Each structure stands twice: as structure tokens, then as C-alpha cells.
Amino acid sequence: MAEKNNGTGASGRSSAEGALTGNASKRAKAKAATGDGATTAQLGSNVARVTKPVLTPRTSKVAAQDSEFLTTAQGVRLQHTDDSLKAGVRGSTLLEDFHLREKITHFDHERIPERVVHARGAGAHGVFEAYGTAANATCAQFLQSGVRTPVFTRFSTVAGSRGSADTVRDVRGFAVKFYTDEGVFDLVGNNMPVFFIRDGIKFPDLIHAAKPEPDLEIPQAQTAHTTFWDFVSLIPESPHMLMWTMSDRAIPRSYRMMEGFGVHTFRLVAADGRTSLVKFHWKPVLGVHGLVWEEAQMLAGMDPDFHRRDLANAIAGGVFPEWELGVQVFPDTEDQFFEGIDLLDSTKLVPEELAPVQPLGRMTLNRNPTNYFAETEQVAFHSGHVVRGIDVTDDPLMQARLFSYLDTQLTRLGGPNFAQIPINRSVAPVNDNHRDGSMQQAVHQGRTPYLPNSVGGGCPFLAGVDEGGYVHVPKTVEGAKTRQRSGDDPYFQATMFWRSMTEVEQDHIVDAFTFELGHVEVQGVVDRMLTRLDAVASELARRVAMGLGAAVVPAAEGGLLTDGSGFAQGEDGGAGSATESPALSMNVAQTFPVDGRVVQVLADDGADLAGIRLVRESLMSAGAVAHVVATHKGSITGGRRGADRLVVDRSFHTASPVEVDALVIAHGSGLAMSPAAITWVQTVYRHCKPIAAWGDGVELLAAAGIAVDAPGVTVVDKPSKRFLQTLVVAIGGHRVWERLDPHPTRVTLAASEARS
Ligand code: HDE
């Protein structure tokens, strides 16, 4: 017990004797590894004592956590932390126990206010590498050819609290912090290119309506309730965004499989002052994929961390998610319209067929956070964090955000010095003349935190344009003061979205509206919403009405579309003339990489272990993950006599059929009589995911009522490379929609149209 003799006094009752010994030996090892032991020995000598500098208070940039001993926050080494200081073994506790009071006080204040929106999120570090394609259009250094910029990206849901489930129906935040050499640039976007409202002044109303209703604080993290639909049914410009949120975009398969959009129009500024208007897009290399609704709901219970886990697992597994950043570019005309589309209206998009997305560079997320709170929770995005070469526009939604993000950090992060928190720090040198404030980390020097000054030699200097100074584009802003919204056709692009969907996507939109409006308790709200949907697409409204047992009253007949805020709707479009945009569909006939996709191999004692190993290795070499799932954990035995065993990854108790992208049934598993296995396979089948079986694995398919020649089902005698290639291609194609029967409302509507 060297520990007892080294002067720390650690001889009393502490955590456990074993733990003490462990700590001592850990320290010894750490010292040996760093060579620290030698230094410590020297410190004991007179020479070291004499030359040791007098310690000054730390000027370190990082709050230190560097003692090898447990200490108080003041650096006092602690001898005991498991029992409070008491008068006698059974109490009472003494007020003089400074360690107890400090420990509990700090604990009491561990939580900071969660984000008022986007509270639930997951983040990752990475790098952005520019292609240089935008070099002519912007002087931003990080967009010049080959420049690599560190990034931190945070994905999120919007409505739910910090502890809510990942897979709820919601918009996803897609916020990227670029630590550029010229300062921090935040691209704070969503996974949908438009928004519910056109003016930021309505944002508190929107969020109050969407959040849990204030009397009982239910429902959590969902819009399927009366107040949300009450509000949006009264907001004329909301239908386009509602189409997006009722589509499969709102239940992504993975953060790695989402597009991202800057939503607003930005302005790029070239070195010679030329400007262009742009919309930012992130395109995932893995394609854009969704869950199916039932899967999303089941996952919310079985694995509320599904997206967070998926992102972290992929990064830890070395299959780094990647996105290409691109822009749609428009001439910076005086009216800021493009092809009849109002570029300052965030409820409108510009179809990619009219303005293709031009790639600028690639983002790779390659490192998980070290500490969730320090990084993902404390990261502070702000749409006003721009660097030279990028400017904002007059979009009234964007303008309100420019105020909001800075303001909210003051409450959330406790004061104006949040830029000094490690995750928020600029890598470009900072000298801002800001002083003091709570949690100030800097030890400022000098007497002149003001400009102009002469006493401080005029420092810090102002940067001219040639020295990288940020110059706001001198655009003329004029107009009579007014509280009016600009003219609009709020349905045109909502209709375009509906028309651009494949049948199965339309069916899902019908189901989503039916589910959500089915939770609305006020019939007038449902009726008003159906009238709005009728203005988008009569087929959509009628099909939703069927599910609700309600009737559609067209606007012309019922006049239900009064606008709550009483402003006059303009007549003139602003929505352009494109009636369809195939690029909006997620269902594309394309096969994507299967990086990090999860395949379950259903097996049990007696299974063909050699076959399972081949399946697992082939899937892993394609970048996918294979989980062997059996009725029990531990290991399973092989079919032949002998001691061959295979470790099981998950059991029926810990795995679930909703967490996978495909299922393989191993020969010899004998699961055909297991009700759990039967419903397992049926669930995977119902969710349109590829299924494969070899050998007598087909018996389980038969027991589940699944035909061996059903779409997306592959059956062989023995696993082979070809069999596995077919499976990988099927996973890369995402879902086997051909399995679905025609949607009942589609059939009924077609029949009633045929009759009339
Ligand atoms: Fe946000 N939004 N927002 N938002 N937003 C916040 O900022 C706000 C909007 C978006 O991972 C808040 O730091 C207003 C559009 C993302 O930390 C807050 C308006 C888009 C994130 C705020 C909008 C977004 C936020 C809450 C209407 C897509 C999460 C905490 C004018 C382009 C960033 C915070 C992260 C977060 C305000 C509308 C995206 C309150 C006032 C449109 C991705 O400042």
C-alpha cells in the first residue's frame, strides 16, 4: 500500500480499499508513461525547490482539470468524498463541511436552460474541404480551392425537450459551425428548404402552438394536437411547409441521410465587389431516406436515442458521414426575384430544375464529441455569424433570426461571454474590446478597451478591405414603414410538392395528415385545415377527409379561410410557374452506399455458423454492420457436433426489428415455431425492408406467411458472394415499396370518380 505512505494521508475509510490501490497503481502507470515519475523525484531535491517559480494564478485558456488527485474547485486535495462530515457516525451533518456544500451546490446548478427550440440534438466534429468552385463568386477564404476548415455540426429536432425521442415527426435542424481563418461562420439550417411563416414576428406564436399545450404539458415532441393545427390553419402561407412536415422528410432514417438547407437567400460577395444571391444546400452522400411511420413510433419507445446512436456509431466505426455543400445561384437583381419566385420569401423554394445546385465543397464528420454538455449542449449558433464574402438579405424571417440567436445565448449560456466557451471559440485571433461580464475567461491587459484611443497606440487596428475587414454590401434599403406581408400565392408550391411525389410518398402524406388531424379535438380546426388542403390538392383533401370521416368544404363554398391576423393577401404569386420538381422526391431509382446500415442475422443454437460468418464479413466489407440476434445472449452453438460457438450481438430481449435496414435468416436456427421470430420477420416485411434467408431459414418465412418470391425477398440454399451482393444492392435501394397494396383511400377515390 504505497498510497498510505506517500504523505497524502489516504489511510482512512474511503471508497474502498481496492479502489485506493487501483488509483495508486494507475497513477504509477501514468507517471511511468509520461516520465512524470522522474520529474517528481527531482522536485524532491533542493535544486528543484530553489528554482521552482512562484505560482501565479492560472492564465491558461482552458479551465484546468489537471490534478491527479480529487480536489475541491479551489484545488484543495480531498482525502474523502463518500461520507459527509458529521457529529458522530449517525449525524448530524456539520455546516462546516465545505466539500459537501460545494459538491451539492455545483450539482444543483448543473443544468442550463435547454434551447427554447431544437433542444434535442446530437453533434459531431469534422472538416470541410472547399473545391474552389465559388472562388469567383465569393472572397470567403474557406471557400477557396483546397482550403480545409474544421467544423462542428449539430442536428436536432425542433419541438421536443432535451430528453425527447429522436424519431418523432418534426423538422430537423442542420447547423454547421465553420471555424474559418477569418472568423466563425454558422450555417444554421434545416432539413427542409422552406418554413411555416414568412415573418419572424410569428415565430413565438408558432412555437407556442407547437409545443405541448400549457395546461397539462402534453403532448411531448409532436404536432399532433389541437393548438398546432389551430394556428397553422389560420396562417395562409403555412401549407407548403406542412406538406414537407407531413412527408417522410420529417422522419429521417438517419441524420446521415438528410439534406440540409440554408432556407433563406444569402448574398455572396466576390473580391471585386460583385454580388450574387444564393441558397445553400447540403447533399448527403448516402442519399435521402426516411423511416416508415410505424417504425418511427416504435423506435421512439424502444430506442429514443436512435439517431444520436446511429451518428455516433457510424463515426466510431469509421464510416464517416459526408455531405456536399452546394449553392443555387441567382443574379442579384433589384427585385430579388428569380423566374417569378420571390427570393426573400422563405416559404418558397427554387426548383433545382430551374437552378441546379452547384457543388462548393465537402463536409466529413469524423469525430464524436468528447463531452456532450461541453460541446453539443454549449455550442451557440447564430445566423449572424457570417464571414466576409457572405452577407444576409432582407428576408423578414432571416432578419428576426439575426436578433434572436444572439439574444437567446445570453439566457442559455448565462451571459455575453459565450464565445469564450471552447466549442464556440474562433480559431481566428480575437480582439473585440468587450470587457468583463459573467464568466469572463480572459485576463485582459492594458488600459484602453476603447476606440479611438491614442494612449494605447490606437490598438487594436481597424482592418481595411485589403486586410480582410468585413464590409456590409451597400445595398439600398427603402420603403414606407408598414406592417404588411408581401403578395403571395400560398398554395402554388404546396401543390407543386404534392405533384412531385411518387404514389407511395403521397400515400404517406395522406396518412400523416390523417393521423395528425385525427388528434385535433375541435372540429372547426379540422374543417378549416381540410379546406386549405383542398386548395393544395383536392385529391389530398378528400383522401384525408375519408380517414377522418369528415367532409371537405371547398374555399369557394364555405369561406373558411379567414386569416387570424387580418392582413390582406396579395394576388401576385411570387411562387414562380414550375408545377412539378422531380428533385423533391426522396424515392429515386438509385442505389446508395450502405455505410453503417444495420443488418440483423436471426439465428439460434444449431445455426450454420460458417454461413453467418460469411454473411457478417461480406456485409462489413461493404461498410454495413451485422448483428447476430438469437433468443438468448452469450453465444450460440453450431449445427454440427463439436465446440464451435459464435458470440451473439443481441438477443430477442435487447434487439428489435425496427432498428435494422434488412434481415437475414440463418439456416439451422429452428425459429419457425417461435411466435416472437414470426412477428419479427413480419414487422421487417411490413416496413418494406429487404429480407433474405438460406437453407431451412425459409421455414420461418413460410410460418410468417411471406412468399419466397415476394418483392425484396431473396432465398438461397447457401450464402454466396452473389447472394450478399444482391442484399447489399437491395439495402442501398432503401425500401421495397412494391410490397405495398394500393392505399385504401386511393382505391376508394378512384372508384368514386369512376362512378361519377
Ligand atoms: Fe431557429 N432558433 N429560429 N430556425 N434554429 C434557434 O437558437 C428562431 C428558424 C434553427 O443546434 C434558437 O440557440 C427564430 C429557421 C436551428 O443549436 C432561437 C426564427 C431555421 C437551430 C431560434 C427561427 C432555423 C435553431 C433556439 C424565426 C432554418 C438549432 C436556441 C425567425 C433555416 C441550432 C438557439 C443548434 C435554434 C430562433 C426560424 C434553424 C430561439 C426567431 C427558418 C437549426 O434563437
Side-chain angles (χ1 to χ4, degrees):
M1 298 292 283
E3 180 74 30
K4 288 186 178 172
N5 302 328
N6 70 358
T8 63
S11 55
R13 292 166 43 226
S14 182
S15 312
E17 205 79 342
L20 261 184
T21 317
N23 280 342
S25 78
K26 260 190 229 155
R27 279 206 300 281
K29 275 188 200 147
K31 279 179 185 170
T34 57
D36 205 19
T39 318
T40 312
Q42 273 175 19
L43 281 180
S45 76
N46 286 339
V47 180
R49 276 212 184 104
V50 172
T51 55
K52 193 177 173 192
V54 175
L55 291 176
T56 53
R58 285 171 192 280
T59 51
S60 149
K61 285 187 177 171
V62 182
Q65 286 291 316
D66 50 7
S67 169
E68 58 183 319
F69 296 98
L70 179 71
T71 70
T72 66
Q74 303 303 320
V76 174
R77 289 181 185 177
L78 288 164
Q79 177 260 345
H80 197 115
T81 190
D82 295 346
D83 300 280
S84 51
L85 188 67
K86 297 185 294 280
V89 174
R90 301 177 62 217
S92 161
T93 304
L94 300 177
L95 193 57
E96 72 186 63
D97 187 353
F98 57 81
H99 175 44
L100 168 76
R101 277 185 288 119
E102 183 194 72
K103 190 173 176 179
I104 298 287
T105 305
H106 193 278
F107 169 76
D108 290 345
H109 297 267
E110 271 176 10
R111 295 290 169 272
I112 59 172
E114 66 174 33
R115 286 165 174 79
V116 60
V117 283
H118 296 267
R120 169 89 191 159
H125 296 269
V127 63
F128 174 78
E129 182 160 1
Y131 301 149
T133 38
N136 275 336
T138 174
C139 56
Q141 278 308 302
F142 82 101
L143 289 173
Q144 307 304 309
S145 181
V147 176
R148 286 164 63 83
T149 303
V151 296
F152 184 78
T153 297
R154 184 173 182 274
F155 304 106
S156 48
T157 56
V158 179
S161 303
R162 232 186 102 175
S164 59
D166 280 344
T167 59
V168 297
R169 177 176 296 284
D170 200 352
V171 186
R172 297 299 185 286
F174 192 132
V176 183
K177 189 175 280 294
F178 296 80
Y179 303 88
T180 89
D181 288 346
E182 299 178 308
V184 170
F185 169 52
D186 289 344
L187 186 51
V188 199
N190 280 344
N191 75 330
M192 297 174 190
V194 289
F195 205 60
F196 299 97
I197 48 173
R198 291 166 73 195
D199 190 316
I201 199 167
K202 297 305 295 165
F203 193 65
D205 300 294
L206 169 72
I207 300 307
H208 290 170
K211 283 271 181 182
E213 298 190 9
D215 49 356
L216 303 177
E217 223 203 0
I218 50 177
Q220 178 59 243
Q222 52 186 296
T223 51
H225 60 112
T226 306
T227 58
F228 175 76
W229 290 99
D230 181 31
F231 175 77
V232 291
S233 71
L234 291 165
I235 296 294
E237 69 266 35
S238 65
H240 188 194
M241 180 62 164
L242 291 173
M243 297 300 288
W244 283 84
T245 55
M246 293 303 111
S247 78
D248 292 348
R249 299 263 181 170
I251 41 170
R253 157 65 182 84
S254 158
Y255 288 139
R256 303 179 291 131
M257 298 164 206
M258 299 191 315
E259 268 178 295
F261 302 89
V263 178
H264 315 283
T265 301
F266 289 74
R267 185 170 269 118
L268 291 189
V269 190
D272 60 6
R274 274 176 304 112
T275 59
S276 46
L277 298 176
V278 295
K279 281 184 179 286
F280 286 105
H281 293 242
W282 290 105
K283 299 269 183 196
V285 169
L286 300 183
V288 187
H289 304 300
L291 297 167
V292 298
W293 178 232
E294 186 186 67
E295 218 179 5
Q297 284 180 297
M298 290 167 78
L299 277 168
M302 286 170 171
D303 186 5
D305 308 306
F306 184 69
H307 286 150
R308 187 179 285 190
R309 195 187 305 284
D310 167 275
L311 180 67
N313 279 351
I315 293 173
V319 280
F320 300 141
E322 290 184 323
W323 286 260
E324 200 159 58
L325 177 67
V327 275
Q328 290 180 292
V329 188
F330 322 106
D332 194 353
T333 56
E334 205 175 321
D335 66 359
Q336 300 174 65
F337 268 62
F338 178 76
E339 299 273 341
I341 300 166
D342 185 351
L343 295 175
L344 301 184
D345 176 354
S346 282
T347 66
K348 302 293 179 297
L349 56 80
V350 177
E352 289 183 30
E353 291 76 11
L354 296 181
V357 177
Q358 304 180 39
L360 302 183
R362 179 173 286 235
M363 173 172 75
T364 308
L365 297 182
N366 54 20
R367 184 159 61 87
N368 281 318
T370 306
N371 180 278
Y372 184 90
F373 179 83
E375 299 173 304
T376 313
E377 190 61 12
Q378 293 204 101
V379 65
F381 292 97
H382 176 21
S383 43
H385 290 162
V386 285
V387 290
R388 74 186 188 114
I390 300 177
D391 205 345
V392 300
T393 58
D394 299 334
D395 172 352
L397 196 70
M398 187 187 223
Q399 290 291 323
R401 294 181 71 202
L402 293 172
F403 167 74
S404 176
Y405 289 70
L406 185 57
D407 181 51
T408 201
Q409 312 307 348
L410 302 180
T411 304
R412 206 168 67 76
L413 297 168
N417 289 316
F418 61 86
Q420 298 181 6
I421 295 172
I423 192 69
N424 295 324
R425 277 188 202 156
S426 157
V427 297
V430 173
N431 197 348
D432 53 19
N433 268 358
H434 303 328
R435 287 296 180 270
D436 310 342
S438 57
M439 303 299 159
Q440 176 60 260
Q441 306 286 304
V443 181
H444 293 108
Q445 298 180 6
R447 303 159 60 192
T448 55
Y450 58 89
L451 278 179
N453 72 59
S454 62
V455 176
C459 295
F461 306 123
L462 296 174
V465 177
D466 53 340
E467 291 160 314
Y470 188 96
V471 180
H472 294 265
V473 179
K475 284 279 166 192
T476 307
V477 182
E478 61 180 7
K481 285 183 194 172
T482 177
R483 288 191 189 272
Q484 260 185 308
R485 246 169 282 180
S486 53
D488 187 24
D489 179 341
Y491 303 108
F492 194 80
Q493 288 207 343
T495 311
M496 174 183 78
F497 185 83
W498 171 254
R499 287 207 188 120
S500 308
M501 297 291 104
T502 57
E503 285 201 354
V504 68
E505 287 172 303
Q506 289 185 339
D507 294 345
H508 289 176
I509 292 172
V510 168
D511 287 340
F513 273 113
T514 312
F515 175 90
E516 298 261 325
L517 293 174
H519 286 78
V520 172
E521 292 151 343
V522 177
Q523 191 57 37
V525 170
V526 176
D527 293 343
R528 191 161 55 227
M529 217 34 242
L530 287 172
T531 304
R532 278 216 195 280
L533 292 187
D534 185 58
V536 174
S538 139
E539 179 199 345
L540 166 64
R542 285 152 74 195
R543 291 177 61 189
V544 173
M546 274 179 217
L548 296 171
V552 182
V553 184
E557 292 167 29
L560 288 168
L561 301 184
T562 50
D563 167 32
S565 60
F567 75 94
Q569 272 296 111
E571 300 279 307
D572 54 335
S577 57
T579 53
E580 258 182 67
S581 168
L584 299 179
S585 171
M586 290 164 67
N587 287 355
V588 288
Q590 202 180 329
T591 303
F592 293 93
V594 297
D595 290 0
R597 293 297 194 106
V598 181
V599 181
Q600 283 174 344
V601 184
L602 275 198
D604 216 4
D605 292 308
D608 167 11
L609 299 191
I612 297 177
R613 288 189 181 110
L614 177 69
V615 169
R616 194 163 59 180
E617 275 150 31
S618 304
L619 287 170
M620 280 174 69
S621 63
V625 180
H627 289 171
V628 176
V629 179
T631 54
H632 58 84
K633 274 210 89 172
S635 58
I636 50 173
T637 52
R640 302 219 184 93
R641 264 191 300 140
D644 195 11
R645 300 189 78 89
L646 185 87
V647 173
V648 167
D649 299 298
R650 305 284 199 93
S651 76
F652 278 27
H653 303 95
T654 55
S656 128
V658 284
E659 66 191 5
V660 293
D661 296 291
L663 184 74
V664 182
I665 307 162
H667 168 72
S669 303
L671 292 167
M673 301 297 283
S674 154
I678 291 170
T679 47
W680 200 286
V681 182
Q682 286 169 336
T683 308
V684 173
Y685 186 83
R686 199 167 65 245
H687 296 158
C688 299
K689 297 187 274 203
I691 297 181
W694 81 89
D696 64 13
V698 292
E699 289 169 18
L700 178 54
L701 285 181
I706 297 168
V708 291
D709 58 354
V713 175
T714 316
V715 168
V716 286
D717 291 337
K718 271 185 161 187
S720 63
K721 287 215 163 126
R722 196 149 159 252
F723 162 75
L724 290 157
Q725 262 161 14
T726 315
L727 182 65
V728 167
V729 170
I731 300 167
H734 194 54
R735 302 276 167 168
V736 192
W737 299 123
E738 300 86 324
R739 269 184 211 158
L740 295 175
D741 292 331
H743 196 277
T745 60
R746 189 181 285 280
V747 176
T748 312
L749 190 68
S752 87
E753 275 172 358
R755 274 197 306 275
S756 59

